[in-house]
Amino acid sequence: MTQAVGIARAHTNIALIKYWGKRDKDLFLPMNSSLSLTLEAFYTDTKVVFDEELTADSFFLNGIEQSKTEIKKISRFLDLFCEYTGERPFARVESFNFVPTAAGLASSASAFAALALAVADALKLDMTRQELSTLARQGSGSSTRSLFGGFVEWSMGTSSGDSMAHPVDDADWDVGMLVLAVDTQEKKIASRVGMEHTVQTSPFYPAWIETAKEDLKAIKAAIATKDFEAVGQITEHNGMKMHATTLSANPPFTYWTADSLLAQEAVRRVREELQVPAYMTMDAGPNVKVLCRVSDMKILIEALSAYFPSEKIIASLPGPAAYVLSEEDWEQSKIHFAKGSQG
Ligand code: 2P0
């Protein structure tokens, strides 16, 4: 092999039952199983070129060469694949994020899922998606779920080999999500740090684990019967419980800002006024995501526009599983990114 090239796209995902806490930090084994919705509107495209002529790994994100620290994360991730391939040549990794970076919109989820699939494509690895998800997991926990589309479960497993994602449902039954991007500043407490602090110090943490198990069972039953209201209610309750563990950590902290509270209040008011099912959830950042019917999106956006500039309201349909891109697709993606970044 002198050169091996792989290109892939993975969509980001938003957890309805959150992953919050690790039982093994090195292997990214979670304390609880989680369930997400993959989103069509946000994704990462990644190209990896393994080349025997290269003398070091490099990583370009959105056309910008990244720092040594970021490159190290990529190198460490690529090394995981050596278990399957033996020694590897150095690689050049290029990614374009069609996700507002570090806005609590889990760009790391799509990032490592796209990289994992690009590597599998480049090296022609003979492994299932589920096996690949065990590797994506070790880049960033939530990326294990981004290898699949629709509603996806990440089973906590018993070891590294079976802590993997699997698809639950296509979510093609009038399900969508609005992102209220109230604040796109970089988050102050990385989720990795926040979850560890919470596991160690929140007296509510054991209750989180116990009830997250029940929530997962209940939401899967609701998905199976396409009971949208139940899916939404479980989602909202589970998200609030996750955030209650940060408020009860010692010292306490929160990902919410004043704008997040305004957004939450707007969602409550709008769903009261319109009498439509719309349920919120939040991650390790200030933005509010609203699980809603695709058929209600238009009236919801109109009503929410009374509270936010409409450009801060981003609608998404359920997204597909990660997939391999051709060189032509890659060229198109670069053009698309360049156009987008020029505003
Ligand atoms: C989730 N979050 O289930 C949860 C809910 C944030 C809140 O997964 O340490 O970037 O890389 O495994 O996946 C964000 O954390 O954390 C996350 P690491 P990750 O989506």
Side-chain angles (χ1 to χ4, degrees):
M1 172 176 80
T2 51
Q3 241 195 21
V5 183
I7 314 172
R9 171 173 298 174
H11 290 256
T12 194
N13 71 79
I14 299 296
L16 310 185
I17 305 300
K18 307 295 186 188
Y19 144 55
W20 195 241
K22 294 183 182 69
R23 64 184 199 274
D24 184 321
K25 269 195 296 183
D26 297 328
L27 291 173
F28 290 72
L29 293 174
M31 292 288 253
N32 63 288
S33 300
S34 55
L35 185 140
S36 58
L37 179 65
T38 300
L39 296 187
E40 191 251 358
F42 310 106
Y43 56 89
T44 301
D45 287 351
T46 292
K47 177 175 186 176
V48 58
V49 181
F50 290 99
D51 189 335
E52 281 166 1
E53 311 267 290
L54 293 172
T55 54
D57 291 329
S58 60
F59 175 40
F60 295 79
L61 176 61
N62 299 341
I64 300 164
E65 184 159 22
Q66 299 296 293
S67 68
K68 284 205 176 98
T69 316
E70 293 304 312
I71 295 169
K72 234 172 137 175
K73 285 187 206 162
I74 298 290
S75 299
R76 180 195 149 277
F77 186 71
L78 295 177
D79 288 344
L80 296 173
F81 289 81
C82 294
E83 195 184 314
Y84 298 84
T85 60
E87 270 189 39
R88 67 167 177 95
F90 288 113
R92 176 188 164 94
V93 176
E94 268 183 282
S95 288
F96 290 98
N97 250 343
F98 294 86
V99 183
T101 306
L105 289 184
S107 60
S108 64
S110 50
F112 282 103
L115 181 57
L117 186 58
V119 172
D121 179 41
L123 303 180
K124 307 285 168 246
L125 295 182
D126 181 21
M127 61 169 75
T128 64
R129 269 299 160 103
Q130 295 194 348
E131 280 176 79
L132 193 57
S133 80
T134 68
L135 291 167
R137 188 196 75 229
Q138 296 171 68
S140 188
S142 51
S143 67
T144 193
R145 299 183 306 239
S146 270
L147 282 164
F148 297 99
F151 291 117
V152 183
E153 179 181 355
W154 168 14
S155 303
M156 62 188 285
T158 57
S159 63
S160 189
D162 67 355
S163 184
M164 53 174 53
H166 59 92
V168 168
D169 182 281
D170 286 344
D172 58 349
W173 37 281
D174 198 14
V175 174
M177 195 168 264
L178 297 177
V179 176
L180 306 180
V182 294
D183 185 345
T184 50
Q185 296 294 306
E186 190 143 347
K187 60 190 166 199
K188 292 187 182 70
I189 305 165
S191 43
R192 211 161 283 193
V193 176
M195 64 175 85
E196 189 179 356
H197 178 60
T198 305
V199 173
Q200 287 170 354
T201 66
S202 168
F204 294 178
Y205 195 77
W208 158 256
I209 291 298
E210 273 316 303
T211 65
K213 265 186 220 159
E214 292 159 16
D215 291 348
L216 180 67
K217 217 169 139 192
I219 206 168
K220 282 183 5 189
I223 289 169
T225 55
K226 300 190 178 16
D227 182 345
F228 183 80
E229 275 84 358
V231 171
Q233 284 161 6
I234 298 162
T235 295
E236 189 164 301
H237 187 207
N238 184 269
M240 291 294 174
K241 285 188 286 187
M242 178 205 121
H243 288 276
T245 69
T246 74
L247 292 171
S248 55
N250 192 10
F253 69 104
T254 184
Y255 290 104
W256 298 357
T257 61
D259 287 333
S260 314
L261 290 170
L262 290 173
Q264 290 185 12
E265 189 54 24
V267 173
R268 285 189 199 100
R269 282 191 199 173
V270 161
R271 80 175 159 207
E272 273 299 307
E273 278 160 25
L274 300 175
Q275 289 289 306
V276 297
Y279 299 94
M280 58 192 131
T281 188
M282 290 181 65
D283 293 291
N287 296 320
V288 173
K289 293 98 182 187
V290 183
L291 187 71
C292 63
R293 293 282 197 194
V294 177
S295 52
D296 289 332
M297 275 180 172
K298 197 159 167 270
I299 52 167
L300 279 167
I301 292 171
E302 263 168 32
L304 288 165
S305 301
Y307 300 89
F308 312 101
S310 49
E311 65 272 14
K312 291 196 169 186
I313 308 172
I314 311 162
S316 183
L317 299 174
Y323 54 98
V324 167
L325 295 178
S326 66
E327 283 286 352
E328 292 75 32
D329 295 331
W330 175 251
E331 290 308 314
Q332 284 301 318
S333 174
K334 282 204 282 192
I335 293 167
H336 185 155
F337 183 84
K339 278 192 186 148
S341 61
Q342 283 159 16

